[in-house]
Amino acid sequence: MNNKFFEWAGVVTAILYSLFVALNIGIEFLGFCLLLLSAILIGIWAYRGDHKGIFLLQFFYATAGIIGMIRWF
């Protein structure tokens, strides 16, 4: 797949995640699922583009997504 797909799909899912959590309307679990998906997508983009700092950051975002899902489940 094209790197642009991973980049922009990751961006869109991150935007949706932040809105879902900020709205506080009961869809936070879905938001944390989107955070994990965003971290995976942007992580793939960063790995392919040799963006080491962003790649490392995605491990922490993925961890935050998993913790959020566990705490809300």
Side-chain angles (χ1 to χ4, degrees), residues 17 20-21 24-33 64-73:
Y17 145 74
F20 287 2
V21 172
N24 197 22
I25 58 173
I27 55 174
E28 289 84 3
F29 183 81
L30 178 57
F32 286 118
C33 291
I66 292 168
I67 291 169
M69 286 187 287
I70 289 170
R71 292 192 45 87
W72 278 98
F73 189 66

Side-chain angles (χ1 to χ4, degrees), residues 39-60:
I40 292 168
L41 292 168
I42 294 175
I44 292 170
W45 169 80
Y47 179 78
R48 287 181 169 189
D50 199 33
H51 303 286
K52 293 177 181 145
I54 299 299
F55 182 69
L56 177 64
L57 181 62
Q58 298 316 303
F59 283 104
F60 292 97

